[in-house]
Amino acid sequence: MIKVSAPGKLMLFGEHAVVHGKPCIVTSVNHRMSVEVEKRDDNKIVLTAPDVGVENHEVMINDLKNEQHRKECKFVFMAVGNFFEKYNIKSGLNIKTKSDFSSKVGFGSSSAVTVSMIKALSELFGINMTDRNIFDLSYKTVLDIQGVGSGFDVAAATYGGILFFKKAGEVIRKINVKDLPLIVGYTGVKADTPTLVREINEKKMKYPELIGPVFDLSEKKVILANRALEEGNLETLGELMNFSHGLLNAVGVSSGELEKLIFASRNAESLGAKLSGAGGGDCMITLAKSDNQEDVKRAIEEVGGIIIPVKTNVEGVRIES
Ligand code: MEV
C-alpha cells in the first residue's frame, strides 16, 4: 500500500493570460489531496472517494480511458490509464482518495489528485519518475479530460512552493518568498473554469487589439510581482493585486459575489485584493498588514464571504507512507 499527497493551489497573478502564453505566479497551499493505492489480483480498478460520495466504483482496465466516467472519478481513471499505457503495465488496483478541502472552492482538487495518483503509481510499480515526468503525464491527463488549461495547477501540485510559471511548463521556477500572509475569501459559488477559458478565447478572437494588450500588461505586472515577492514588499503586492483585478475586470470574468468580497476587504483598508483563478466565483485573495488582518477578515465575512485559512508556499507531491 502506497500513500501519496499533493497540495492544492491558489493563483496569485496572471490568470487567463497564462493560457495565452504569458507568465503567471501560483502558490501551493496547505490543503492537500491524498491517494492510497494497492495492487489487486484481478483486472479491476476499484475507487473509493468518500469526499465526493464514491464508494467501491469498479472499472475494468481496458475501460479506464474509454468510458464516460462520473465526473468525480474521471481524473483518477484517466491518470491510471495514461500511466499504464506509457509504462506498458496492467494490474488491478484498489484506490482511495481523501481531500482536506472541498472540490468546490477552486483549490485544484482535480490536478492534485491526478499528480498524487501518478506519483503513487510510480512508487507502486518501481518506475523512476522525475518531477518533470510527473508534471508532463499529469498535465496530459488534465488536458485529456478538460481540453483546456495552462497546467499551472499541476505544477503547484507537483513542485509545491510559489512558482513563476509558463504554459505547459515552458518555465517552472521557484520564487524565493519568505512569508505571504494571504487572506482567502470564498464566495460560495463554484466557478466553471473550462467554460470561462473558452469564453476568453472567443473574446480574444473577437477583440484581439483589446485583449492582446491586456495580456501584455498582465505579463509586466507578473514580472513586478515576482520582484515584490522576492523583496517581501507587501504594499507593492497589494497594489499589483488591485491592478491585476482591474485587468480581469477588463476581460469580464469577475462577478457580483467576488466584487462584494473584494470591495469589503479594500474598504477595510487591506493592501489590495483580487479574484483568484478563472473568475465567476470561487475565491478572492487579499493582503493586510498584521495589525489589520482580523478587521479585513471580519469585513469579508460581514458581506457573506467564507474565510478559508491557508498557509502558502508548501511542499509539493510527497510520499506519506
Ligand atoms: C484558472 O484557475 C486559471 C486560468 O488561467 C486557467 C489556467 O491557467 O488553466 C483561467
Side-chain angles (χ1 to χ4, degrees), residues 14 31 45 49 60 89 123 135 177 267 274 284 294 318:
H31 298 257
I45 310 294
M60 304 305 287
I89 291 170
E123 284 299 307
F135 171 83
V177 181
N267 291 339
K274 67 181 281 288
M284 51 74 73
E294 293 314 311
R318 68 178 180 223

Side-chain angles (χ1 to χ4, degrees), residues 10 16 20 27 48 51-52 109 115 119-120 137 177 193 231 234 261 263 284 292 316 320:
L10 276 167
H16 287 291
H20 300 268
T27 182
T48 295
D51 305 300
V52 283
S109 54
V115 167
K119 174 79 176 172
L137 198 55
V177 181
T193 300
E231 290 168 353
L234 296 185
L261 273 50
F263 276 87
M284 51 74 73
N292 193 29
E320 298 287 351

Side-chain angles (χ1 to χ4, degrees), residues 136-152:
D136 286 339
L137 198 55
S138 302
Y139 182 45
K140 171 183 165 29
T141 301
V142 170
L143 282 186
D144 284 345
I145 295 169
Q146 282 183 184
V148 290
S150 65
F152 80 104

